[in-house]
């Protein structure tokens, strides 16, 4: 039932109010705060989840429409569990449930426990719990303000177009206005979506035009639950995801030296930026849960994945698109035009291929034995080899019967050579 990030699927088919009721009941070992994104199916799901919590005898805290990081914040503020009704960047017909505790998504071990309890059926407390409603937005905004140079932003007063298209609409435009930005809001209604949820180039054409038309300094976009943040420069160009991540890593390492956590899919740009700025680069399996766990373990200063999901030391332990938005505002105020900052990075040659197989586990085992390339080997999530000027990742898909090959290298020749060797090893194994 659980995927990389909670439970997700099509509303009415995979994800129903009945499921939300039962899983929330199984999850409720303590009080639980519940928030949702702007999907209209979130209304019945959030009420069902609330009912599941209250029937367990625990108290429920209704947060209304809020980004995922604010539910994480509520779990820290109230010392309770948290449920977010969202399907994140997935299309509008999807919905889902994310579970949190102590500012982060629950561990794989707790997911297992929830499944076991869910399997035993509904558990009713002696008396129903109490429901109350809380507004965590003001306290959360204070937390973000403490993490940026508010004085500098108030002095520079940048002009920003904010395209929320989801739960970010209740926070980001207000936060940036309070910080002193001139904010133009786009897609900031709180019912449904106006564009597809994923903040990619195709879906951000309105934002790009709006940035140019308003003569704004840059644009900010979120996905449906605002744990992601994507940046468009003053020319309306969406920043390359790796470059955007590298810019933030420079900032965070300038604040404090230490480990930077990223997943096995992160690029050479990211790795080199960490090393050039005196940080230690640590890789985890794909997924923010792993990045967050590793951050805790190694006391890292920052964790981020190229999808625009960044975890900040001073904030909550889930990706926080709202905090990221404020940090890019600060970055612009201290360093200037984002197009110029991004232009300093040179993107490399990349190869992405997929191979069909009937037995992913068996194929991976063979590849582990036969793939010989020079470099540091990581085998936490498929196999990644980091060599001089390149990296290669061979990883089974989580959902499809395929093995994926990703490779990046400084030159075309080197890419052909290393991707060729990996391709050979995979073809023999599938
Ligand atoms: Mg998301």
């Amino acid at each position: 039932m659980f995927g990389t990030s909670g439970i997700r699927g099509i509303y009415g088919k995979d994800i129903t109010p009945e499921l939300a009721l039962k899983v929330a009941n199984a999850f409720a070992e303590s009080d639980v705060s519940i928030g949702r994104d702007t999907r209209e199916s979130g209304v019945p799901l959030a009420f069902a989840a609330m009912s599941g919590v209250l029937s367990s005898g625990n108290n429920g805290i209704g947060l209304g429409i809020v980004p995922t990081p604010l539910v994480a914040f509520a779990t820290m503020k109230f010392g309770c569990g948290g449920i977010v009704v969202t399907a994140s960047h997935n299309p509008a017909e999807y919905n889902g449930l994310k579970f949190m505790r102590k500012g982060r998504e629950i561990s794989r071990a707790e997911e297992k426990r929830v499944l076991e309890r869910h399997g035993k059926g509904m558990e009713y407390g002696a008396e129903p719990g109490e429901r109350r409603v809380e507004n965590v937005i003001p306290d959360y905004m204070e937390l973000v303000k403490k993490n940026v140079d508010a004085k500098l932003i108030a002095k520079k007063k940048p002009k920003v177009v904010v395209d929320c298209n989801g739960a970010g609409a209740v926070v980001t435009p207000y936060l940036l206005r309070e910080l002193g930005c001139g904010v133009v809001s786009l897609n900031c209604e709180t019912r449904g979506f106006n564009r597809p949820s994923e903040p990619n180039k195709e879906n951000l054409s309105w934002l790009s035009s709006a940035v140019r038309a308003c003569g704004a300094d840059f644009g900010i976009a979120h996905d449906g639950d605002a744990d992601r943040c994507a940046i468009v420069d003053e020319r309306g160009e969406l920043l390359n995801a790796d470059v955007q991540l590298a810019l933030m890593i420079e900032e965070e390492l300038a604040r404090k030296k230490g480990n930077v956590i990223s997943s096995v899919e992160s690029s050479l740009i990211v790795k080199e930026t960490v090393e050039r700025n005196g940080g230690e680069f640590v890789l985890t399996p794909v997924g923010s849960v792993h990045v967050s766990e590793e951050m805790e373990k190694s006391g890292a200063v920052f964790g981020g994945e190229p999808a625009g999901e960044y975890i900040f030391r001073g904030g909550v332990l889930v990706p926080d698109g709202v905090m990221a938005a404020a940090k890019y505002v600060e970055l612009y105020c201290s360093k200037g035009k984002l197009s110029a900052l991004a232009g300093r990075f040179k993107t490399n040659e990349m190869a992405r291929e997929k191979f069909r197989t009937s037995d992913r586990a068996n194929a991976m085992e063979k590849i582990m034995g036969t793939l010989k390339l020079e470099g540091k080997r990581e085998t936490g999530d498929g196999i990644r080899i980091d060599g001089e000027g390149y990296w290669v990742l061979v990883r089974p898909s989580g959902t499809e019967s395929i093995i994926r090959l990703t490779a990046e290298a400084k030159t075309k020749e080197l890419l052909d050579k290393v991707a060729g060797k990996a391709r050979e090893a995979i073809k023999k194994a599938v």
Side-chain angles (χ1 to χ4, degrees):
M1 195 154 56
F2 284 90
T4 357
S5 184
I7 302 171
R8 224 177 269 180
I10 308 257
Y11 173 72
K13 186 170 149 251
D14 317 306
I15 305 292
T16 59
E18 188 185 349
L19 176 85
L21 170 84
K22 289 177 176 167
V23 181
N25 180 269
F27 171 67
E29 293 176 33
S30 65
D31 294 354
V32 177
S33 51
I34 299 169
R36 66 175 179 94
D37 71 21
T38 58
R39 285 162 216 266
E40 296 191 50
S41 63
V43 180
L45 290 172
F47 276 110
M50 178 61 80
S51 182
V53 171
L54 298 178
S55 54
S56 77
N58 290 291
N59 301 321
I61 305 166
L63 303 173
I65 292 175
V66 282
T68 290
L70 273 80
V71 178
F73 176 73
T75 66
M76 291 158 81
K77 181 173 154 88
F78 303 122
C80 61
I83 297 176
V84 199
V85 177
T86 179
S88 193
H89 58 279
N90 289 132
E93 60 270 29
Y94 283 74
N95 216 327
L97 302 161
K98 286 189 192 181
F99 299 89
M100 319 228 153
R101 205 176 287 288
K102 294 182 180 163
R104 61 144 37 108
E105 276 194 71
I106 60 171
S107 63
R108 296 285 180 245
E110 184 167 0
E111 282 179 359
K112 244 191 186 167
R113 218 163 57 233
V114 173
L115 278 181
E116 278 165 20
R117 289 166 59 123
H118 174 260
K120 288 183 191 148
M122 291 281 289
E123 236 179 71
Y124 295 101
E127 277 175 42
E130 276 181 39
R131 172 178 175 267
R132 69 174 204 268
V133 172
E134 290 276 357
N135 178 8
V136 292
I137 296 170
D139 283 358
Y140 168 81
M141 282 194 192
E142 287 312 308
L143 175 76
V144 177
K145 285 181 193 165
K146 267 191 242 152
N147 278 273
V148 294
D149 188 344
K151 267 192 194 147
L152 175 70
I153 299 169
K155 198 172 127 213
K156 294 268 178 178
K157 298 185 176 43
K159 187 171 180 183
V160 196
V161 183
V162 180
D163 176 355
C164 290
N165 197 58
V170 302
V171 188
T172 307
Y174 302 97
L175 170 70
L176 299 190
R177 246 168 236 146
E178 281 187 22
L179 281 166
C181 301
V183 176
V184 177
S185 321
L186 185 68
N187 298 328
C188 281
E189 293 83 19
T190 49
R191 248 187 112 172
F193 294 151
N194 286 337
R195 60 158 166 86
S197 182
E198 190 164 5
N200 59 23
K201 192 175 177 198
E202 193 190 350
N203 298 336
L204 297 181
S205 57
W206 281 7
L207 175 62
S208 293
S209 323
V211 166
R212 285 192 295 265
C214 300
D217 295 310
F218 62 102
I220 292 168
H222 291 309
D223 67 336
D225 64 330
D227 59 350
R228 287 191 187 189
C229 171
I231 301 292
V232 165
D233 70 19
E234 77 286 352
R235 304 168 306 177
E237 298 282 335
L238 180 67
L239 297 192
N240 170 290
D242 296 318
V243 172
Q244 185 190 308
L245 175 54
L247 287 175
M248 189 54 71
I249 289 171
E250 285 182 337
E251 290 300 289
E252 294 303 304
L253 281 174
R255 240 174 271 266
K256 197 174 176 221
K257 298 278 175 260
N259 290 357
V260 171
I261 317 295
S262 195
S263 71
V264 290
E265 284 180 330
S266 69
S267 75
L268 273 179
I269 291 180
V270 173
K271 180 176 179 236
E272 289 171 350
T273 303
V274 173
E275 288 166 356
R276 200 170 49 239
N277 289 277
E280 190 81 40
F281 187 54
V282 182
L283 290 174
T284 70
V286 174
S288 57
V289 181
H290 301 293
V291 175
S292 154
E293 267 170 18
E294 188 58 42
M295 271 186 81
E296 263 303 72
K297 224 186 332 171
S298 68
V301 291
F302 177 74
E305 291 186 276
E309 300 188 346
Y310 307 162
I311 305 176
F312 298 97
R313 202 6 91 195
V316 293
L317 282 161
V318 297
D320 189 342
V322 185
M323 176 96 80
K327 294 252 186 185
Y328 282 108
V329 169
E330 181 190 46
L331 170 67
Y332 170 81
C333 291
S334 66
K335 291 193 173 159
K337 280 188 181 165
L338 295 172
S339 62
L341 294 173
R344 293 176 299 134
F345 294 90
K346 191 181 163 293
T347 50
N348 297 301
E349 299 278 344
M350 289 208 70
R352 290 180 206 276
E353 293 169 33
K354 48 188 179 182
F355 302 84
R356 294 237 145 251
T357 174
S358 52
D359 189 345
R360 278 170 280 179
N362 183 35
M364 277 312 298
E365 201 178 308
K366 282 189 198 154
I367 294 164
M368 296 271 189
T370 52
L371 179 56
K372 298 269 186 299
L373 279 168
E374 255 185 60
K376 201 173 145 216
R377 287 165 81 97
E378 280 276 346
T379 52
D381 187 2
I383 175 167
R384 170 161 165 151
I385 301 174
D386 274 272
E388 196 56 46
Y390 71 87
W391 62 275
V392 169
L393 173 69
V394 181
R395 186 173 171 262
S397 159
T399 48
E400 296 171 80
S401 302
I402 53 177
I403 303 275
R404 290 182 202 282
L405 160 65
T406 316
E408 182 184 2
K410 289 273 185 199
T411 62
K412 181 82 175 62
E413 293 73 46
L414 186 56
L415 181 71
D416 288 345
K417 190 180 140 204
V418 295
K421 279 200 175 171
R423 196 178 300 124
E424 237 173 75
I426 300 169
K427 277 191 174 161
K428 272 187 208 149
V430 295

